[in-house]
Amino acid sequence: LEFGDQVMRVYRNGLQVLDGLPETITAITQANPGVLTSASHGLSNGDEVYVSGVGGMTELNGRNYIVANATTNTFTLTDLFGNDIDTTSFTAFTSGGEAEQIYEEATPYAAADIFDLNYAQSADTMYIVHPGYDVRTLTRSGSSNWTFATASIAGTPSPSLSGADNRPSVVTFFEQRLVFANTNNNPQTLWFSKNGDYLNFTVGTADDDALIYTIASNQVNAIRYLSATRVLTVGTTGGEYVVTATSDGPVTPT
């Protein structure tokens, strides 16, 4: 997954995923810029496309371009820096070819926040956290079918996991629980979901109930990462802690 400013792209098997709606190219002129013909193509100026399968004028194949000068049936291309593609010296077009848009999914994340995203993944669902955004799920239904949604936290945990300064910064899975940590208001607190019910934070005393725990230490050292192996390692700005049960068993509320 490639994140940009409020946008995400996908790569699969080393290739960029396209939108699955290729536009058939029927002619390309040798000109500056070269004009491509594609009946009722539906492309707009500024769309990014991948060109492939062109016969004769193979110099165009295998690259990303930006659509320019779009009309109902024609368009020209620029490179990613806005320079016109001059096809004057290219081999003459013979037949075939497609221009297909790059698959993109809108995201809520600004470019400045991308490197502070943290996530945990279970099969086709990813849980994404950032202190400035509500917890999001990202679900994959296909290579070009992804959905962002605001996670619905059940159980009204206290301290809260939603709203300004109550959004977690780190996340992991541990013993069939989704674990959040470090909100601005509670930088040393850990939230463990109910067992097998990842967005349910209803606390109680049953073994599968959610639990909330705050590290007791002389200094307030924010939790920076969680590493789940046979134990849960909690890395803070002042050192590391290990979460284990008091006996050889899973961590529970008691």
Side-chain angles (χ1 to χ4, degrees):
L1 303 182
E2 176 189 35
F3 282 76
D5 187 40
Q6 297 187 315
V7 70
M8 181 192 81
R9 293 181 174 184
V10 181
Y11 291 80
R12 181 174 183 270
N13 296 332
L15 299 175
Q16 198 169 38
V17 172
L18 307 178
D19 72 353
L21 301 170
E23 305 296 341
T24 300
I25 299 168
T26 57
I28 307 175
T29 65
Q30 291 174 297
N32 185 18
V35 177
L36 290 76
T37 299
S38 178
S40 302
H41 54 73
L43 298 172
S44 300
N45 292 341
D47 288 346
E48 187 170 343
V49 296
Y50 180 81
V51 174
S52 63
V54 173
M57 197 176 287
T58 57
E59 294 91 340
L60 288 178
N61 289 331
R63 292 175 57 193
N64 287 18
Y65 302 94
I66 303 297
V67 172
N69 301 309
T71 68
T72 301
N73 298 313
T74 65
F75 58 93
T76 65
L77 300 172
T78 74
D79 62 21
L80 301 186
F81 302 98
N83 302 306
D84 289 333
I85 301 301
D86 182 357
T87 60
T88 305
S89 61
F90 287 6
T91 308
F93 174 85
T94 56
S95 64
E98 294 178 339
E100 189 170 351
Q101 289 194 70
I102 311 304
Y103 174 75
E104 293 185 339
E105 186 69 37
T107 84
Y109 306 113
D113 299 326
I114 290 170
F115 290 101
D116 291 321
L117 297 178
N118 280 293
Y119 67 89
Q121 181 178 335
S122 175
D124 286 331
T125 300
M126 184 179 290
Y127 299 82
I128 304 176
V129 298
H130 184 284
Y133 300 84
D134 289 336
V135 177
R136 293 306 204 279
T137 58
L138 173 60
T139 305
R140 174 192 178 276
S141 301
S143 296
S144 58
N145 186 359
W146 299 71
T147 304
F148 278 93
T150 301
S152 179
I153 303 293
T156 59
S158 180
S160 178
L161 278 170
S162 62
D165 293 323
N166 291 320
R167 297 164 176 133
S169 301
V170 291
V171 60
T172 193
F173 287 102
F174 181 64
E175 295 183 349
Q176 294 296 308
R177 300 177 188 269
L178 185 64
V179 185
F180 293 126
N182 182 4
T183 66
N184 289 341
N185 283 336
N186 296 278
Q188 291 193 136
T189 299
L190 296 135
W191 291 259
F192 295 74
S193 75
K194 285 178 67 71
N195 190 268
D197 192 354
Y198 298 143
L199 291 175
N200 190 336
F201 288 83
T202 303
V203 297
T205 57
D207 284 353
D208 67 345
D209 280 339
L211 58 136
I212 299 171
Y213 183 78
T214 300
I215 297 172
S217 61
N218 292 330
Q219 296 179 331
V220 176
N221 294 313
I223 296 170
R224 295 304 187 195
Y225 70 85
L226 301 171
S227 178
T229 53
R230 294 177 63 185
V231 297
L232 179 63
T233 302
V234 181
T236 78
T237 53
E240 290 183 326
Y241 296 84
V242 174
V243 177
T244 60
T246 54
S247 59
D248 290 334
V251 172
T252 70
T254 57

